[in-house]
Amino acid sequence: MGDLDEQTGWGFETRAIHVGQEPDPTTGAVVTPISLSTTFAQSSVGEHKGFEYSRSGNPTRSALEACVASLENAKHGLAFASGLAAEDNVLRLLPPGGRVLLGNDAYGGTFRLIAKVWSPLGFPWSAVDLTDVASLRANWPSDTTIVWLETPTNPLLTCIDIAAVAEVAHANGAIVVVDNTFATPYLQQPLDHGADIVVHSATKYLGGHSDVVGGFLALNDDSLAERLRYTQNAAGGVPAPFDCYLVLRGVKTLALRMERHCSNARAVVDLLLGHPAVDRVLYPQLPDHPGHAAAAKQMNDFGGMVSFTLKGGVDAALTVAKSTRIFTLAESLGAVESLIEHPGRMTHASAAGSPLQVPDSLVRLSVGVESAHDLCEDLRAALDRLS
Ligand code: P1T
């Protein structure tokens, strides 16, 4: 990755290890300390060293916020207790009656938050096919204030042209929120393509080791950032200092891990494409994949997530999901170990009966960083059980 940061002059990998993480001025500690203090001494009322109370601001959290903001080419970064806490903080920007347009494929929990929690409070939502920008422009609901998209989407891995959607949204006075969890800032920096706010489930690739739940927002706009920071403190969905430390530790190796996730995913895709039990392989690098052109334009590589459908339908999908040995049957994604799941019955069960319902013959893989050979053999053995 050649892109240099304007502020530091450093490349991505250097920023991941050093931004916000200067050696501790008191002790020289090279690793950012975990600051557990909930409160901070004031020399006189209102005079302090930048921290007052740990919900409002914490040194370990500040380090994480500076680092991931830099990776997203963002001026502002805000860390949260989970991806959904970060999303909820964004939805608090909605004006009374403001509509959310949600892409028609997205994480089930995001759908649930928008459609089942916020919508009944008087904030309408609609599901839209964001690959069809002409239709988005022609059918724009006038009460829309937020367009919410994932690219690649969870779990179908459809890719959306961020710049094209941002152009329509901005012309209509709406903001664009991009969930960059699947791509990570190593592969895609949505703010550079016109997004207004980037959302992350830091639980996934940023943390990278399945040992921390976290969320993140990155953005450039000062007034939006001020509002989001106000709500971060007022509503209080902040992460613990230890969690911030774990995400910061994970981010240091993000570039290395993503390289391996991508190359292992390619090996898995080749295996799946050649197996007779597989119906369709979903991976953004494939030329016939929905949004391949958008992915090729805005991503540096195609990521570590692979989904596929089985000719044998739901029964075959459930059999494969329980038959692997290295791929662990579990929700979540983006960590060093490979995971397999059945979105229809697991991560996306809440979307059943909605426009975001997923096919029941679908299996989703989070391809980890183990040996590509072992991963392919594991999958081959599970698929062979179907014949
Ligand atoms: O789980 P949490 O940290 O709250 O993040 C929610 C979230 C947000 N956005 C995307 C794209 C996600 O995939 C998730 C969480 N997803 C899973 C747990 C999953 O297995 O798909």
Side-chain angles (χ1 to χ4, degrees):
M1 292 257 308
D3 76 312
L4 295 181
D5 179 52
E6 276 175 28
Q7 233 177 326
T8 58
W10 289 339
F12 186 96
E13 295 84 347
T14 311
R15 271 138 60 205
I17 293 168
H18 293 290
V19 170
Q21 302 164 82
E22 297 76 21
D24 182 56
T26 324
T27 63
V30 168
V31 174
T32 305
I34 303 170
S35 289
L36 291 174
S37 190
T38 56
T39 190
F40 298 85
Q42 311 200 1
S43 50
S44 62
V45 173
E47 267 185 42
H48 51 74
K49 297 188 161 85
F51 298 98
E52 293 168 83
Y53 182 62
S54 212
R55 168 165 36 74
S56 325
N58 168 279
T60 318
R61 193 170 96 215
S62 293
L64 172 64
E65 291 182 337
C67 180
V68 177
S70 165
L71 300 184
E72 284 288 0
N73 289 342
K75 213 166 142 189
H76 307 282
L78 295 89
F80 290 86
S82 68
L84 287 175
E87 295 184 12
D88 189 69
N89 209 70
V90 172
L91 293 166
R92 287 162 194 270
L93 293 171
L94 286 166
R99 175 179 299 271
V100 181
L101 290 189
L102 175 62
N104 61 4
D105 187 43
Y107 171 54
T110 300
F111 157 78
R112 186 174 55 203
L113 180 64
I114 291 171
K116 309 282 186 189
V117 177
W118 278 84
S119 178
L121 298 174
F123 302 91
W125 79 286
S126 349
V128 282
D129 175 3
L130 293 170
T131 62
D132 187 349
V133 177
S135 161
L136 177 71
R137 196 190 309 273
N139 300 301
W140 182 266
S142 60
D143 54 355
T144 305
T145 48
I146 294 179
V147 180
W148 195 292
L149 66 98
E150 297 176 1
T151 180
T153 62
N154 181 1
L156 299 178
L157 304 172
T158 302
C159 294
I160 310 295
D161 185 332
I162 299 169
V165 171
E167 197 258 307
V168 177
H170 292 162
N172 288 285
I175 62 166
V176 176
V177 176
V178 174
D179 186 327
N180 203 29
T181 298
F182 273 34
T184 83
Y186 185 64
L187 300 183
Q188 172 176 278
Q189 290 152 324
L191 299 176
D192 294 352
H193 300 284
D196 299 286
I197 301 175
V198 166
V199 174
H200 277 282
S201 170
T203 318
K204 311 299 177 334
Y205 290 103
L206 296 182
H209 296 77
S210 297
D211 54 8
V212 59
V213 172
F216 204 86
L217 301 178
L219 71 163
N220 282 319
D221 185 272
D222 294 335
S223 88
L224 277 181
E226 198 181 315
R227 289 170 63 194
L228 290 168
R229 204 168 280 288
Y230 182 86
T231 326
Q232 180 194 38
N233 177 50
V238 295
F242 186 66
D243 293 357
C244 294
Y245 161 79
L246 284 174
V247 178
L248 204 46
R249 179 184 166 117
V251 159
K252 287 177 200 278
T253 55
L254 180 63
L256 294 167
R257 287 186 284 109
M258 290 315 294
E259 296 280 350
R260 178 64 81 91
H261 284 299
C262 293
S263 64
N264 277 1
R266 259 187 282 282
V268 161
V269 165
D270 286 344
L271 178 273
L272 294 172
L273 286 171
H275 200 284
V278 173
D279 183 22
R280 191 143 182 240
V281 182
L282 300 171
Y283 188 63
Q285 188 171 13
L286 299 174
D288 64 343
H289 184 79
H292 167 73
K297 184 175 94 172
Q298 69 202 14
M299 295 178 77
N300 302 315
D301 204 339
F302 300 97
M305 299 298 296
V306 179
S307 294
F308 60 100
T309 55
L310 287 148
K311 289 180 186 152
V314 61
D315 290 341
L318 295 174
T319 301
V320 171
K322 68 171 186 195
S323 302
T324 48
R325 285 176 56 213
I326 301 175
F327 282 86
T328 302
L329 175 58
E331 305 209 1
S332 203
L333 59 110
V336 290
E337 70 280 340
S338 293
L339 300 179
I340 187 166
E341 69 123 1
H342 184 263
R345 300 230 178 138
M346 294 170 70
T347 50
H348 292 67
S350 66
S354 83
L356 281 80
Q357 179 168 333
V358 297
D360 63 7
S361 61
L362 186 77
V363 171
R364 189 189 76 182
L365 303 175
S366 174
V367 182
V369 300
E370 302 96 332
S371 139
H373 171 268
D374 296 344
L375 293 179
C376 289
E377 287 312 306
D378 189 35
L379 275 175
R380 189 198 314 276
L383 289 164
D384 284 351
R385 286 184 58 166
L386 300 173
S387 48

